[in-house]
Amino acid sequence: MRKKIVAGNWKMNKNLQEGMALAAELNDILKAEKPNCDVVICTPFIHLAKVSDMIDHSVIGLGAENCADKKSGAYTGEVSAEMVRSTGAEYVILGHSERREYYHETPEILREKVLLALEQGLKVIFCIGESLAEREANKQNAVVKAELEGSVFNLSADDFKKIVIAYEPIWAIGTGKTATSDQAEEIHAYIRSVIAEKYGKEVAEETSILYGGSCKASNAPELFAKPDIDGGLIGGASLKAADFKGIIDAWK
């Protein structure tokens, strides 16, 4: 059975004290009422080591929002996969549309990041998704296939099993627009079919594919009810414990 996952992406929010307070609140809530899915919080680098010491890792997984495409060395300001792992983090988000767009991360750069993350034993949440113009031109399938081929289809089947895919329609991130549950299911099913073509049906059936893009407590039950949607990568709604818990409860 593939994993059901609700992952929070804090983005560039919360100072250290605020982040620790949110992690502590979530930890208490989820320890009191065990979730029906895997829960992961992906925090800015500065929070990782402190939050790792505070949370019960059997209840909440911890992830970084990025890592460097170099192993180590004279790369001022960068944080390597090994550094991320050393904090106690288990996951890393790679390929987020904001990284691709604002920081010009190419498929080649992302391929390096994925390899370095896997080498350190991190699980990768790999983001793919199309822009509004690409969706309106009906190119969404071609876009997500190219993003998979460019950065993760070079992996062996065993390594690919350590990848979680997050489908994020760029036009629905932070805009309040959400893909309908039918639109989301259609492309999730397509993504699974492309993985099956590459790695076989068994690997495709084991791959968790998350939906990201203005997912909230009100629409999560309808999205998560779809057969190919295995959870969510949550942005804004992961910054308040009650909102995030509302989405986690969609698996109940």
Side-chain angles (χ1 to χ4, degrees), residues 33 53 76 92 94 100 128 133 141-142 155 157 160 169 173 177-178 188 205-206 225 248:
E33 193 186 323
D53 287 343
T76 301
V92 60
L94 295 173
R100 293 175 192 264
I128 57 177
N141 286 8
L155 300 172
F160 187 81
I173 298 176
K177 285 184 185 178
T178 314
H188 277 237
E205 284 302 319
E206 283 175 21
I248 293 164

Side-chain angles (χ1 to χ4, degrees), residues 50-229:
K50 289 268 197 192
V51 167
S52 182
D53 287 343
M54 291 168 52
I55 59 173
D56 179 340
H57 286 257
S58 70
V59 179
I60 304 179
L62 181 63
E65 298 175 16
N66 184 29
C67 70
D69 61 337
K70 302 285 191 291
K71 204 165 195 165
S72 65
Y75 302 103
T76 301
E78 288 294 294
V79 176
S80 71
E82 184 185 6
M83 292 172 181
V84 168
R85 189 74 190 101
S86 72
T87 66
E90 302 122 317
Y91 288 84
V92 60
I93 298 172
L94 295 173
H96 194 282
S97 60
E98 289 155 5
R99 299 292 320 170
R100 293 175 192 264
E101 187 182 350
Y102 307 148
Y103 303 99
H104 313 298
E105 292 191 0
T106 63
E108 295 74 27
I109 288 171
L110 291 171
R111 193 182 313 150
E112 283 306 306
K113 290 188 177 198
V114 168
L115 291 171
L116 290 165
L118 292 177
E119 204 176 273
Q120 288 301 322
L122 292 166
K123 297 182 194 111
V124 173
I125 300 173
F126 189 75
C127 302
I128 57 177
E130 79 284 356
S131 67
L132 187 57
E134 289 163 341
R135 167 64 71 160
E136 286 172 345
N138 204 29
K139 288 185 180 158
Q140 63 272 18
N141 286 8
V143 169
V144 296
K145 186 176 186 184
E147 288 178 333
L148 291 168
E149 288 174 342
S151 305
V152 290
F153 275 4
N154 55 302
L155 300 172
S156 68
D158 279 349
D159 275 343
F160 187 81
K161 287 179 184 175
K162 299 163 194 160
I163 306 283
V164 173
I165 300 295
Y167 166 69
E168 298 204 309
I170 298 166
W171 47 272
I173 298 176
T175 59
K177 285 184 185 178
T178 314
T180 65
S181 56
D182 289 339
Q183 279 176 322
E185 167 59 22
E186 186 184 345
I187 195 152
H188 277 237
Y190 172 74
I191 292 163
R192 203 176 301 286
S193 75
V194 172
I195 295 167
E197 273 169 35
K198 173 72 183 170
Y199 292 108
K201 192 165 169 34
E202 193 182 330
V203 171
E205 284 302 319
E206 283 175 21
T207 302
S208 297
I209 307 176
L210 313 184
Y211 173 77
S214 302
C215 179
K216 39 197 180 289
S218 57
N219 60 17
E222 191 187 342
L223 286 161
F224 295 176
K226 296 294 186 184
D228 288 291
I229 299 178

Side-chain angles (χ1 to χ4, degrees), residues 218-245:
S218 57
N219 60 17
E222 191 187 342
L223 286 161
F224 295 176
K226 296 294 186 184
D228 288 291
I229 299 178
D230 304 311
L233 179 59
I234 315 302
S238 70
L239 296 172
K240 288 197 179 122
D243 294 350
F244 195 46
K245 173 75 161 48

